[in-house]
Amino acid sequence: MQEIEHYNTTFLSKADLILKISHILEPDDFNKVISAYEMAEDVHLFQSRKDNTPYFFHVTRIVKIIINELYLYDADLFCAALLHDALEDSDVLNLETLTFNFGPYVSYMVDMLTRYTRIKEKKDFENNIVEYVERLKYSSVDCIIIKLAERLDNFRCLAYGLKSNPIQYIEETFNYFVPLAQYFKHAAVEKLVHLLQIEKSKFFN
């Protein structure tokens, strides 16, 4: 009997990524994305999520969502999606390194998507998230695409114990991050909001 593959154990392999982008991106852009993939894999090598899956799987699935569900093929978007948590999770990586390797726009997106503060108290968490969302409000649409795609991937992992309080995570998403869509009139943003709503309804049904 074939074992059922659970969503949270899936990922986008380098071979699959090459198949998806090699015929679309220019060689320089292609190499940049593969370098970002390898850097993200290295940064998250020993990290696991609360559902006991490799953290790296998560960042690759965001790229998978961008390609398979949003039909976007942009090298900078892919790189930033793969590296969006790299600054927070690496002791040696910095913006200068990202800029040197991937260009100023990728480092800008990673910087905008990074939440530097480690939050312990609920009051501090609320203050931090408001500040973070305010920053995202004035970022680029690509940042919002990555952030909502990240939330979508996490929604799809809630059934596997990713969050200790999944209802709070869903409420946080719809209270703070989904409203950002009103500032970015873009088909991909609208689709992500729709997909988040679908996943929310699945969770409560």
Side-chain angles (χ1 to χ4, degrees):
M1 183 175 179
Q2 187 176 5
E3 186 177 346
I4 297 173
E5 184 179 42
H6 296 288
Y7 177 84
N8 66 329
T9 66
T10 64
F11 70 104
L12 180 63
S13 70
K14 189 196 295 187
D16 285 341
L17 178 61
I18 289 171
L19 283 175
K20 289 176 181 296
I21 68 173
S22 60
H23 63 293
I24 293 177
L25 298 183
E26 294 296 324
D28 286 348
D29 283 340
F30 169 80
N31 290 331
K32 186 164 72 169
V33 174
I34 298 304
S35 294
Y37 186 99
E38 292 170 348
M39 181 178 285
E41 188 172 27
D42 184 60
V43 166
H44 300 297
L45 185 59
F46 300 109
Q47 293 179 331
S48 297
R49 307 230 288 172
K50 196 172 181 196
D51 60 356
N52 296 316
T53 60
Y55 195 92
F56 180 63
F57 286 9
H58 166 61
V59 299
T60 69
R61 286 196 303 263
I62 296 172
V63 176
K64 200 172 181 181
I65 288 169
I66 291 170
I67 294 173
N68 290 355
E69 300 180 63
L70 304 181
Y71 311 111
L72 298 176
Y73 289 86
D74 181 87
D76 286 345
L77 186 62
F78 295 156
C79 290
L82 288 163
L83 297 166
H84 76 276
D85 278 336
L87 288 180
E88 188 171 305
D89 293 338
S90 172
D91 295 327
V92 296
L93 199 60
N94 55 42
L95 286 174
E96 289 73 20
T97 302
L98 291 179
T99 301
F100 178 81
N101 285 280
F102 306 106
Y105 186 51
V106 171
S107 64
Y108 159 79
M109 284 190 282
V110 174
D111 187 32
M112 294 298 292
L113 289 162
T114 299
R115 290 173 65 176
Y116 293 104
T117 308
R118 303 285 182 177
I119 303 304
K120 294 182 179 179
E121 296 182 7
K122 183 174 176 60
K123 180 180 179 182
D124 291 334
F125 173 80
E126 290 176 348
N127 289 339
N128 176 269
I129 199 170
V130 169
E131 179 183 326
Y132 181 56
V133 169
E134 188 68 15
R135 176 153 46 99
L136 287 175
K137 188 192 300 184
Y138 298 101
S139 67
S140 68
V141 67
D142 289 332
C143 292
I144 306 306
I145 289 170
I146 293 170
K147 174 49 65 177
L148 294 181
E150 177 199 29
R151 290 266 156 171
L152 177 61
D153 181 68
N154 285 340
F155 269 34
R156 290 170 174 173
C157 295
L158 291 176
Y160 305 102
L162 178 65
K163 300 291 180 180
S164 56
N165 191 336
I167 293 175
Q168 181 182 7
Y169 186 79
I170 291 169
E171 289 177 347
E172 175 191 295
T173 300
F174 278 88
N175 288 340
Y176 291 105
F177 295 102
V178 168
L180 286 168
Q182 65 184 300
Y183 302 103
F184 300 89
K185 301 303 180 184
H186 191 286
V189 173
E190 293 174 1
K191 183 167 186 180
L192 285 166
V193 170
H194 177 64
L195 291 171
L196 284 163
Q197 290 169 336
I198 290 173
E199 294 301 325
K200 177 183 177 182
S201 65
K202 285 181 185 177
F203 188 83
F204 288 109
N205 286 339

